[in-house]
Amino acid sequence: MDIGIDLGTANTLLYVRGQGIVLNEPSVVAVKEGARTALAVGTEAKETIGRTPGSITAIRPLRDGVISDYEAAEEMIRHFVRKAVPGRRPRTRMVVCVPSGVTPVERRAIVHASQRAGARAVHLVEEPMAAAIGAGLPVGEPRGSMVVDIGGGTTEVAVISLGGVVTARSLRVGGDRLDAAITDFVRKEHTLLIGERTAEDIKVAIGSAWPVPGEDSAAFASRTFTVRGREKVGGLPKTVELTVREVRAALDEPVEAIISAVRATLEECPPELSGDVMEHGIVLTGGGALLPGLDLRMASATGIPVFTADDPLDSVALGCGKCVEDFDGLERVMTAA
């Protein structure tokens, strides 16, 4: 049996050969202190973030795209594989997506966690390559294709040609950094303490990277988000109203960091491939690609057309799945471990 795993900082997706994506759940494990036993994994565990008693801790086993808690990651992978493929799993072969900038030590941690979770053999594929395959880019042709995969923990920027990554940047800025930027802004500007789930809700509701049409209208100006949290000084519950412009200002620094990585990658790209990218554009994948106005801001900064993949949230998992389905044909883009 062959399984593809998009082991993401925010969500983990499993692709089973012949079945497609069969699981998509948050990368969270709730454990009991002392015993370190998993009480909940995935969606059920995410509901406990910020709401657990002192004896229970909600852990995110991956930070910045790599394993930060080995035991929790192993338990999470094992749980998800059992849930996706109940019963016996003979001779399981796994293809796991990893950030392009991971160190050898981080690669070994992912391989060992997958093996202990039941994998007979583990093959790694870099996330930008998987994202490009999943987005339908012609990675095997002698043509430059540029993909920007903005995940929960990392942003992967790569130019791909002839089945290989020509030049790439792995930036540890993603959805989590965007959430943290909102949290910091609300704390500094409104002396209000909020949790990461509230920050994510704000980002999804009124977050943007570029002014949108009609922003100067009275109707738009009235768009706000009611934020409830704890007052920084007194510690009492407090409510504030955030505007679209405030949230965009809060997101400016991490968004600019992503665009700077794109510029740096383009500067390192061979001239012939740069011409291909200029002609065919940049493709955005990952959850961060859904931030309104990001494509317009990136296009303005680079002078290159920017498009969002048809299914940005699942692009990496779909690319990983294509490696699983056509293992022999795409083996060259994978690393045996």
Side-chain angles (χ1 to χ4, degrees), residues 209 284 289 291-300 304-308:
L284 300 180
L291 183 67
L294 180 60
D295 54 346
L296 296 176
R297 179 166 176 176
M298 190 175 294
S300 176
I304 298 174
V306 179
F307 308 97
T308 301

Side-chain angles (χ1 to χ4, degrees), residues 237-286:
K238 180 181 176 181
T239 300
V240 300
E241 297 288 334
L242 286 182
T243 67
V244 174
R245 291 186 178 90
E246 282 185 300
V247 176
R248 185 163 61 245
L251 296 175
D252 185 70
E253 183 179 347
V255 168
E256 188 57 36
I258 292 172
I259 293 175
S260 295
V262 173
R263 285 202 203 97
T265 306
L266 287 169
E267 290 171 0
E268 297 173 357
C269 184
E272 291 81 3
L273 298 184
S274 292
D276 293 336
V277 174
M278 177 67 74
E279 179 181 356
H280 299 287
I282 300 170
V283 175
L284 300 180
T285 66

Side-chain angles (χ1 to χ4, degrees), residues 303-335:
I304 298 174
V306 179
F307 308 97
T308 301
D310 292 336
D311 194 355
L313 289 171
D314 296 342
S315 292
V316 173
L318 291 173
C320 190
K322 288 182 180 179
C323 292
V324 168
E325 297 288 356
D326 186 16
F327 195 90
D328 295 331
L330 292 172
E331 192 171 9
R332 66 185 181 200
V333 306
M334 295 181 281
T335 302

Side-chain angles (χ1 to χ4, degrees), residues 126-259:
E126 294 185 351
E127 284 181 8
M129 177 63 75
I133 294 172
L137 296 180
V139 297
E141 296 180 7
R143 191 194 92 182
S145 299
M146 188 169 193
V147 62
V148 181
D149 178 53
I150 308 170
T154 62
T155 292
E156 306 289 324
V157 186
V159 175
I160 297 168
S161 178
L162 285 173
V165 175
V166 179
T167 180
R169 287 289 178 103
S170 182
L171 183 69
R172 301 209 170 181
V173 173
D176 288 349
R177 181 69 71 84
L178 297 175
D179 296 343
I182 294 174
T183 301
D184 292 342
F185 178 86
V186 173
R187 185 183 69 249
K188 293 175 182 176
E189 299 297 325
H190 297 280
T191 65
L192 184 70
L193 302 178
I194 61 174
E196 58 183 64
R197 289 187 63 190
T198 300
E200 183 179 7
D201 291 341
I202 295 169
K203 178 184 67 179
V204 172
I206 60 172
S208 64
W210 190 257
V212 298
E215 186 166 324
D216 295 329
S217 66
F220 189 95
S222 64
R223 285 183 60 195
T224 60
F225 188 90
T226 302
V227 183
R228 298 177 179 84
R230 179 164 56 87
E231 195 175 14
K232 181 179 178 181
V233 179
L236 297 176
K238 180 181 176 181
T239 300
V240 300
E241 297 288 334
L242 286 182
T243 67
V244 174
R245 291 186 178 90
E246 282 185 300
V247 176
R248 185 163 61 245
L251 296 175
D252 185 70
E253 183 179 347
V255 168
E256 188 57 36
I258 292 172
I259 293 175

Side-chain angles (χ1 to χ4, degrees), residues 51-177:
R51 295 174 173 160
T52 58
S55 60
I56 299 176
T57 304
I59 297 175
R60 298 181 66 178
L62 290 99
R63 288 288 180 184
D64 298 330
V66 296
I67 293 177
S68 59
D69 189 311
Y70 181 83
E71 293 181 2
E74 179 187 326
E75 181 63 32
M76 183 181 73
I77 295 172
R78 182 184 293 110
H79 174 87
F80 286 156
V81 170
R82 288 175 177 170
K83 185 173 182 178
V85 191
R88 295 184 67 243
R89 295 169 296 279
R91 301 176 62 80
T92 301
R93 180 169 57 177
M94 291 186 186
V95 177
V96 184
C97 295
V98 297
S100 59
V102 296
T103 65
V105 173
E106 292 165 342
R107 283 176 176 265
R108 285 196 295 271
I110 293 172
V111 171
H112 291 165
S114 301
Q115 289 174 335
R116 290 180 61 87
R120 169 182 61 88
V122 180
H123 296 263
L124 305 181
V125 58
E126 294 185 351
E127 284 181 8
M129 177 63 75
I133 294 172
L137 296 180
V139 297
E141 296 180 7
R143 191 194 92 182
S145 299
M146 188 169 193
V147 62
V148 181
D149 178 53
I150 308 170
T154 62
T155 292
E156 306 289 324
V157 186
V159 175
I160 297 168
S161 178
L162 285 173
V165 175
V166 179
T167 180
R169 287 289 178 103
S170 182
L171 183 69
R172 301 209 170 181
V173 173
D176 288 349
R177 181 69 71 84

